[in-house]
Amino acid sequence: MNKFFLLILLIIAMLFLVVGCGSGQNGSGGTEPGTPEYTQFSDLKGKTVSMLTGAPFEELVKSKEAGVKEFTYYNNNPDMLLALKSGKTDAALNNNAIAALEVNKDPGIALFPQNLKESVFGIAFAKGSPMRDEWQKAYDKITDEAKEELWKKWTGTDDSVKILPEQDWPGSNGTVRAAVCDTLEPMSYAGESGKPMGFDVEMILLMAKELDVHVQFTGMEFAAILSSVESGKADIGAGSIIVTDERKKAVDFVEYYPAAFVLMVRSTGQGASAAAGNEGGFWSSIADSFEKTFIQEDRWKLFLKGIGITLLITALSIIFGTMLGFAVFMMCRNGNPVANAITRFLVWLVQGMPAIVLLMILYYIIFGSLSISGTVVSIIGFTLVFGASVYGMVKNGVSAVDRGQYEAAYTLGYTNRKTFFRIILPQALPFIMPSYRNSIRELIKATAIVGYVAVQDLTKVGDLIRSRTLEAFFPLIVVAIIYFILAAVLTFCVNRISFCFDPRSRKKEKILKGVNVK
């Protein structure tokens, strides 16, 4: 009960933090809303410029002789914009379409007046892929009027709900797998129920109709798109990809629309806007954030889906990891030198490698040529991680049992197997369960990285919603609270299981069952 009240107090404190931080973002002062904080490249001297991971444009910024102090990198646009508004960085590099939309949505952000460079958007294909020429021909058949109409639809100021055309053509030439970014509105992003939307997505559909193929879209981080194409996990890649000479060395492109590199900076003169936005007070701010995070576009369904994926990965990893770790211990417990050597090497390898690196090796290299979903790969990866932990727990727990217990059991005629399961393991469990419980809590938090392998778990859903609402804090706090609740529920379940194994919890009647007491 005390833990429950602490959780309630924590939630209330977080809500106050949400409103406090949200009201402090816009700042005050300045004379005109929308005025960029920096207007010349010389203003960026000694400042920090950020860009998305996989966007190697440092030399482009340096060519302006701006004297930038540092470059930083973010995996998605919401994180980069949050860093910009909170002062972690001074300018954020993106393309003209995304920057224009973000500026229109958020008065706290302004466009840097000078473009860095003109370029073109591209759809990526594996180097030397024959598909590239086929899709180029399909693109050439699309009229300029249709391209301009599509651009206005997705990048204009019209706030009406955007709808993608259905894939109602026969698809007689098969299915194409497309990797698209899911956080870069309006080019490609996750819309209602996580379905890929945006200019890039509809452009691909127009070409697919010409080729009479169906398209299977998979949303993922921007940095993972080209890796998916190069490894063969996807046939094509799109999502606000600007063609550069360096990228041309890795993949081939169908170039489909003019683009420009631009910088976003903080906007000055937001005092009036901030005051207007905070007139309703605390509860009004909470209600507004709640409505945008959960109600609009039925975003609560995305949270439910994300929670389900997180629980699925966690639960199956716990079950399979426990079985794997225990099975490996049973093979090694009698001192087989070969089994022990192999096991020590594999445990060292798994435990010494960051989980995100393990997942990406599994997804892009080991299972790169196989059609295995990111969810399955995540379960395999965390099964290995948790199994390695279980092996160590069981080994340490059994080692804590006095060797005399074996000798006594053998004296009474017990076999090696019966000795372990009836005498040793029951005594080892009280040493194992505390570590086991802690490992489960760590596991559910560790699954937050599965978005790197195209899985829409709870954390990824929070990123998707932040990219749509520009509510930096509320979705993060909601995700944090849900993780607290999930961890508490799983811990409760494990505690109940631990209670059943704890000798101190057994009643006298159960202990003396089958024993004649005179």
Side-chain angles (χ1 to χ4, degrees):
M1 187 62 69
N2 290 335
K3 292 182 178 180
F4 175 77
F5 282 118
L6 286 174
L7 180 60
I8 295 298
L9 289 175
L10 180 61
I11 292 173
I12 294 173
M14 285 182 170
L15 290 176
F16 275 105
L17 177 64
V18 170
V19 177
C21 293
S23 62
Q25 281 182 47
N26 294 324
S28 60
T31 58
E32 180 184 358
T35 302
E37 185 176 2
Y38 309 111
T39 57
Q40 303 289 331
F41 284 110
S42 58
D43 296 338
L44 297 176
K45 185 176 181 179
K47 306 298 182 182
T48 300
V49 174
S50 297
M51 59 193 74
L52 295 176
T53 304
F57 303 128
E58 300 91 343
E59 295 302 322
L60 180 59
V61 177
K62 291 178 181 178
S63 69
K64 301 299 180 179
E65 299 182 356
V68 171
K69 171 187 174 184
E70 181 184 13
F71 293 99
T72 57
Y73 307 88
Y74 294 87
N75 290 313
N76 55 60
N77 210 42
D79 288 343
M80 187 165 66
L81 292 177
L82 175 58
L84 176 62
K85 293 194 289 183
S86 62
K88 301 292 186 184
T89 188
D90 300 297
L93 188 149
N94 221 315
N95 64 62
N96 53 313
I98 294 173
L101 186 68
E102 299 292 354
V103 168
N104 288 334
K105 280 186 173 183
D106 192 338
I109 300 174
L111 270 180
F112 188 76
Q114 303 178 55
N115 289 351
L116 286 166
K117 185 180 180 182
E118 304 294 327
S119 187
V120 64
F121 291 111
I123 296 173
F125 297 80
K127 201 71 178 173
S129 171
M131 289 180 59
R132 188 265 172 197
D133 292 336
E134 297 173 4
W135 283 71
Q136 181 67 60
K137 292 176 182 177
Y139 171 77
D140 293 338
K141 293 180 181 179
I142 302 173
T143 64
D144 291 338
E145 291 77 11
K147 297 171 188 174
E148 287 302 320
E149 183 179 345
L150 200 63
W151 181 261
K152 291 177 182 178
K153 171 183 175 180
W154 292 101
T155 63
T157 56
D158 183 11
D159 290 332
S160 61
V161 177
K162 309 294 192 302
I163 299 175
L164 281 175
E166 295 293 333
Q167 299 189 47
D168 54 3
W169 48 92
S172 57
N173 292 323
T175 300
V176 171
R177 299 166 299 166
V180 295
C181 185
D182 48 18
T183 57
L184 292 176
E185 187 180 5
M187 303 304 286
S188 67
Y189 61 96
E192 183 179 350
S193 301
K195 181 181 178 181
M197 306 282 286
F199 175 78
D200 288 342
V201 175
E202 188 161 355
M203 180 65 76
I204 290 173
L205 290 178
L206 285 179
M207 289 183 269
K209 187 174 183 179
E210 290 285 343
L211 295 167
D212 194 21
V213 297
H214 285 156
V215 183
Q216 177 186 335
F217 291 100
T218 301
M220 59 184 65
E221 299 282 358
F222 178 82
I225 295 174
L226 296 184
S227 298
S228 295
V229 174
E230 290 181 87
S231 66
K233 295 295 289 185
D235 301 307
I236 61 177
S240 196
I241 301 176
I242 295 181
V243 178
T244 65
D245 292 336
E246 185 173 356
R247 286 174 174 168
K248 283 183 176 180
K249 296 176 183 178
V251 295
D252 293 329
F253 287 99
V254 169
E255 301 176 0
Y256 64 94
Y257 207 84
F261 296 105
V262 298
L263 291 173
M264 293 176 287
V265 296
R266 285 181 293 274
S267 176
T268 60
Q270 295 303 308
S273 298
N278 292 324
E279 285 178 357
F282 175 81
W283 295 113
S284 176
S285 299
I286 291 294
D288 181 62
S289 296
F290 182 88
E291 196 272 338
K292 286 192 288 186
T293 302
F294 289 102
I295 306 304
Q296 286 184 10
E297 299 182 351
D298 291 333
R299 289 171 183 149
W300 59 272
K301 294 181 181 178
L302 283 176
F303 273 110
L304 286 181
K305 180 180 177 182
I307 291 171
I309 294 295
T310 295
L311 285 177
L312 176 67
I313 293 173
T314 303
L316 292 182
S317 297
I318 291 171
I319 294 171
F320 296 146
T322 301
M323 295 169 59
L324 176 64
F326 190 77
V328 171
F329 172 80
M330 292 301 293
M331 288 189 294
C332 300
R333 73 183 185 90
N334 290 323
N336 185 305
V338 176
N340 278 314
I342 295 174
T343 300
R344 281 196 299 269
F345 172 75
L346 293 177
V347 169
W348 168 80
L349 188 66
V350 171
Q351 291 185 334
M353 188 185 306
I356 179 59
V357 176
L358 175 62
L359 288 184
M360 295 182 78
I361 289 175
L362 290 173
Y363 188 71
Y364 293 113
I365 300 177
I366 296 179
F367 299 115
S369 59
L370 302 177
S371 297
I372 297 180
S373 70
T375 301
V376 174
V377 170
S378 299
I379 293 171
I380 294 172
F382 283 109
T383 293
L384 295 175
V385 172
F386 196 73
S389 298
V390 169
Y391 169 78
M393 295 176 213
V394 177
K395 184 178 181 181
N396 292 334
V398 171
S399 299
V401 179
D402 191 272
R403 291 293 304 176
Q405 299 292 321
Y406 288 93
E407 298 169 3
Y410 294 152
T411 301
L412 294 173
Y414 279 81
T415 64
N416 180 275
R417 186 177 183 82
K418 284 186 177 181
T419 298
F420 178 77
F421 283 102
R422 294 189 179 184
I423 306 297
I424 305 302
L425 185 59
Q427 295 182 68
L429 283 174
F431 298 100
I432 295 172
M433 293 310 293
S435 298
Y436 188 76
R437 182 169 55 246
N438 292 335
S439 294
I440 288 177
R441 281 199 295 261
E442 293 302 318
L443 177 65
I444 194 169
K445 290 184 287 185
T447 60
I449 63 174
V450 297
Y452 286 89
V453 290
V455 179
Q456 286 191 9
D457 70 317
L458 179 57
T459 301
K460 183 64 176 179
V461 166
D463 291 339
L464 298 180
I465 291 176
R466 285 193 295 135
S467 71
R468 299 298 314 282
T469 65
L470 296 181
E471 281 278 340
F473 291 93
F474 196 85
L476 285 176
I477 299 303
V478 168
V479 168
I481 292 171
I482 293 174
Y483 270 114
F484 273 118
I485 295 172
L486 294 180
V489 171
L490 287 176
T491 301
F492 174 79
C493 294
V494 176
N495 283 339
R496 297 305 301 171
I497 296 173
S498 301
F499 183 80
C500 297
F501 290 120
D502 190 348
R504 293 170 296 180
S505 67
R506 290 183 290 177
K507 295 181 180 180
K508 179 180 178 182
E509 293 78 10
K510 187 174 181 179
I511 296 174
L512 298 177
K513 184 178 180 179
V515 178
N516 293 323
V517 181
K518 296 182 179 180

